[in-house]
Amino acid sequence: MKPKSYRKKATRQPAVHKRQLELMRRASEVVEQLRLELPQLLAVAVVDVASGTSLAAHTSSPALDLLTAAKFQAGLVQRKHEALAALDLPGEQLEDIMITLSSQLHLLRLSSTGARLISLVVDARTTNLALARDILRTRAEQLDAAPALRAA
């Protein structure tokens, strides 16, 4: 007896996969916009906080390993969330983290949901910190702008 159909059934992309593709597309857009708005940046990455996975990244310095940095930065955010929970500060929410090095500023800005972060590395001597933080805040809001991404 032969099977009813010889055709392969079309595989449907699960909704989760579609949301992930949309998220990666939006993350790439955010990286490109940051490159245009802050042309002197050294590196930028959009990172999933839960997994430490880089969704999109760009570096102008080959010495910066963004994939490794993404995992550590996601871990840093997770530990800071744990610290805030231990301190029991009602109504407080982690928005950004700034790390100052001798020649670089590392700015980590969480999206509105806290599920993703933008990691920005700039030269400490040539970058206007207030401007960089304002641009970073605007782009972080853009990450969760689509309704499909809020559910992800």
Side-chain angles (χ1 to χ4, degrees):
M1 180 176 262
K2 293 183 180 180
K4 288 183 180 181
S5 174
Y6 294 103
R7 291 183 299 153
K8 276 188 168 180
K9 291 185 179 180
T11 57
R12 294 183 184 177
Q13 291 182 339
V16 173
H17 183 66
K18 288 180 182 178
R19 281 194 303 264
Q20 186 69 14
L21 288 175
E22 173 62 18
L23 177 59
M24 291 176 80
R25 184 192 63 76
R26 189 170 295 273
S28 294
E29 287 176 3
V30 167
V31 166
E32 285 306 309
Q33 288 171 341
L34 282 165
R35 287 181 62 201
L36 292 173
E37 292 173 314
L38 295 167
Q40 72 279 13
L41 68 81
L42 300 174
V44 61
V46 177
V47 180
D48 178 71
V49 173
S51 67
T53 304
S54 177
L55 302 171
H58 166 77
T59 182
S60 60
S61 172
L64 293 171
D65 182 0
L66 294 179
L67 298 178
T68 302
K71 289 181 176 135
F72 284 106
Q73 291 166 342
L76 175 66
V77 168
Q78 291 167 351
R79 298 302 85 70
K80 192 60 184 172
H81 279 301
E82 291 170 4
L84 288 174
L87 292 172
D88 192 29
L89 300 171
E92 291 298 326
Q93 189 174 358
L94 182 61
E95 293 180 357
D96 64 15
I97 298 171
M98 181 174 72
I99 302 167
T100 57
L101 304 178
S102 56
S103 66
Q104 298 174 356
L105 298 174
H106 291 238
L107 305 170
L108 309 178
R109 178 73 187 200
L110 288 163
S111 65
S112 59
T113 63
R116 287 163 282 284
L117 70 91
I118 301 175
S119 169
L120 180 67
V121 181
V122 293
D123 188 305
R125 287 170 244 133
T126 61
T127 301
N128 179 327
L129 179 59
L131 180 63
R133 288 186 74 200
D134 186 54
I135 291 170
L136 193 56
R137 179 189 48 77
T138 303
R139 295 299 156 221
E141 290 170 1
Q142 179 186 352
L143 270 179
D144 291 329
L149 297 180
R150 287 189 202 114

